Amino acid sequence: MPKSAESVIDLRSDTVTKPTAEMRRAMAEAEVGDDVYGEDPTINQLEQRAAEVFGREAAIFVPSGTMANQIAIKLHTAPGEEIICEERAHIVDYEMAMLGWFSGCIPRTIAGDRGILTWAAIQQRIRPDIYYVSRTGLIALENTHNMAGGTVYPPEVANDICDRAHELGLPVHLDGARIFNAATALGKPVRELTAKFDSLMFCLSKGLGAPVGSLLLGTKDFIARARATRKALGGGMRQAGILAAAGLIALEKMPARLAEDHANARVLAEGIAKLPGLSIDMKTVQTNIVVMEVDPKRMTAAEFSRRLKEKGLLAGPISAQRLRMLTHMDVDRAACERAVEIVAGICRTLGQA
Ligand code: TLP
């Protein structure tokens, strides 16, 4: 029997969280104005705070991580160029081919070790400076790497990529949708992990728990151009201070609780890794994401996910045999332990599948 909505454990993503009571209060009371005229005080405050936290000249609030990434790609590149990124990067697999559609670029992908690229690998994919081949326009990294299981860039590896790219005059953009998770895992401030990137985005609406929004950061000039591109995409949001009010709480208060999500992900992964028919590369379990592989002799990930749903546990298939679970502020330790029990129950029947 499907469970009632309240008792369902939703581990499909950390995007599923509901705004806290404090966020809802702040939203109701937010001072607002027309942000297209630059007159929303709460939006202005959020952008300024984000720029301070990351040590950047400027920031812009956008409706989604996808829009932030795609504005950055558009501004860094020209049509006909190539973008070097990891083969399972969000900008390639989940952003509607917009790097081709909107920016006229193609991805030049590299398989990273658990999603992590190195300069040695990137260097080989940079196009030679010859007029009859397409140019490399941008390098884009993702930290944490979502589909690799929430893996974290060692700071020296990311810094090296930025330094070497800059020597060649190449910009580097960071998809830092979950950069606060990376910072929590490393025990370092986000500004230290992101200082060398030309631009970066982070999401308020993932582990930080806000209902909507992401920020794109860079130089004053870059963000001024981003503002025009956001408007062109229909992202001029008027009295969006009601969203920024929740975003400010997400930015100021929620990073401090991410360690709890990471500890819960570990409990989940350790419990599931022991079960027959499922395997987890425990080295990828570094933050709040757990990716598991279902034995193809027993079941597909889609079938597994369907059976979990019947027992009140939601988890998303991300390929034929892989399933992803994310911990977040709306699932506590007890829910994660219950999730392991539900998975174990399905595994007991796997042999007969
Ligand atoms: N990720 C979503 C899905 O789109 C897969 C999720 O549930 O994890 N960069 C990264 C690394 C992301 O994980 C996401 C969203 C985005 C960008 C895009 O953010 P939104 O959904 O706000 O456009």
Side-chain angles (χ1 to χ4, degrees):
M1 272 290 285
K3 299 272 173 157
S4 70
E6 310 86 74
S7 68
V8 164
I9 303 168
D10 192 348
L11 301 181
R12 285 171 301 169
S13 183
D14 48 8
T15 59
V16 302
T17 55
K18 309 268 169 61
T20 62
E22 187 186 4
M23 287 178 185
R24 287 178 189 272
R25 259 195 316 276
M27 293 172 82
E29 290 163 10
E31 262 191 74
V32 294
D34 191 329
D35 181 52
V36 174
Y37 297 135
E39 291 171 3
D40 188 304
T42 314
I43 289 275
N44 293 343
Q45 193 189 340
L46 174 62
E47 292 179 346
Q48 202 182 327
R49 258 315 274 154
E52 273 165 24
V53 169
F54 283 83
R56 292 284 166 153
E57 281 179 25
I60 182 171
F61 181 71
V62 291
S64 67
T66 300
M67 192 186 283
N69 279 336
Q70 295 304 325
I71 290 173
I73 288 170
K74 179 76 181 169
L75 295 181
H76 285 304
T77 60
E81 290 185 342
E82 301 189 3
I83 298 165
I84 295 182
C85 56
E86 211 278 329
E87 69 174 2
R88 289 169 293 171
H90 195 276
I91 59 167
V92 177
D93 281 346
Y94 297 95
E95 298 190 11
M96 314 301 292
M98 275 288 273
L99 48 77
W101 187 5
F102 182 48
S103 294
C105 294
I106 59 163
R108 177 68 63 182
T109 61
I110 304 172
D113 177 17
R114 300 185 170 92
I116 303 302
L117 297 181
T118 59
W119 178 253
I122 290 172
Q123 192 174 24
Q124 294 173 39
R125 302 301 169 93
I126 293 174
R127 303 288 270 159
D129 191 9
I130 306 173
Y131 82 90
Y132 54 78
V133 297
S134 52
R135 283 168 42 88
T136 301
L138 176 68
I139 297 168
L141 307 186
E142 187 174 312
N143 193 16
T144 65
H145 192 300
N146 184 352
M147 292 298 151
T151 51
V152 177
Y153 263 90
E156 62 282 5
V157 172
N159 286 344
D160 183 49
I161 292 171
C162 293
D163 286 341
R164 307 293 287 273
H166 292 154
E167 282 166 23
L168 300 178
L170 278 174
V172 191
H173 170 71
L174 176 66
D175 175 345
R178 296 185 179 82
I179 193 64
F180 283 95
N181 294 87
T184 301
L186 292 166
K188 289 186 184 295
V190 285
R191 68 157 68 201
E192 198 178 312
L193 305 182
T194 57
K196 287 179 185 274
F197 289 86
D198 297 85
S199 59
L200 73 115
M201 80 83 162
F202 74 94
C203 294
L204 298 163
S205 61
K206 304 213 160 48
L208 302 185
V212 180
S214 295
L215 283 120
L216 176 63
L217 297 105
T219 62
K220 261 196 184 123
D221 171 64
F222 181 84
I223 296 303
R225 290 189 294 131
R227 213 166 281 286
T229 311
R230 182 188 68 174
K231 185 68 174 70
L233 288 171
M237 292 182 291
R238 311 297 177 182
Q239 288 73 31
I242 53 166
L243 303 176
L248 273 163
I249 293 167
L251 178 61
E252 303 292 5
K253 300 204 172 164
M254 303 312 254
R257 58 155 308 287
L258 291 176
E260 190 184 324
D261 295 345
H262 296 186
N264 285 342
R266 183 142 286 276
V267 165
L268 191 66
E270 282 170 355
I272 291 174
K274 294 192 205 110
L275 301 172
L278 290 178
S279 57
I280 295 178
D281 174 358
M282 288 301 289
K283 288 198 180 135
T284 66
V285 186
Q286 301 172 13
T287 55
N288 69 326
I289 306 182
V290 179
V291 171
M292 63 206 70
E293 188 125 2
V294 186
D295 180 352
K297 291 198 282 299
R298 318 233 194 170
M299 217 184 267
T300 63
E303 173 65 5
F304 200 85
S305 143
R306 198 185 59 71
R307 295 220 193 165
L308 292 175
K309 190 175 177 185
E310 282 172 3
K311 303 287 178 199
L313 174 59
L314 305 183
I318 56 168
S319 72
Q321 295 308 135
R322 284 185 177 186
L323 205 65
R324 186 183 71 140
M325 294 181 186
L326 286 85
T327 54
H328 51 77
M329 68 183 196
D330 289 350
V331 288
D332 58 11
R333 177 63 59 90
C336 291
E337 286 166 355
R338 174 86 194 108
V340 173
E341 281 169 27
I342 294 174
V343 177
I346 309 284
C347 284
R348 280 194 284 276
T349 67
L350 272 181
Q352 298 113 49

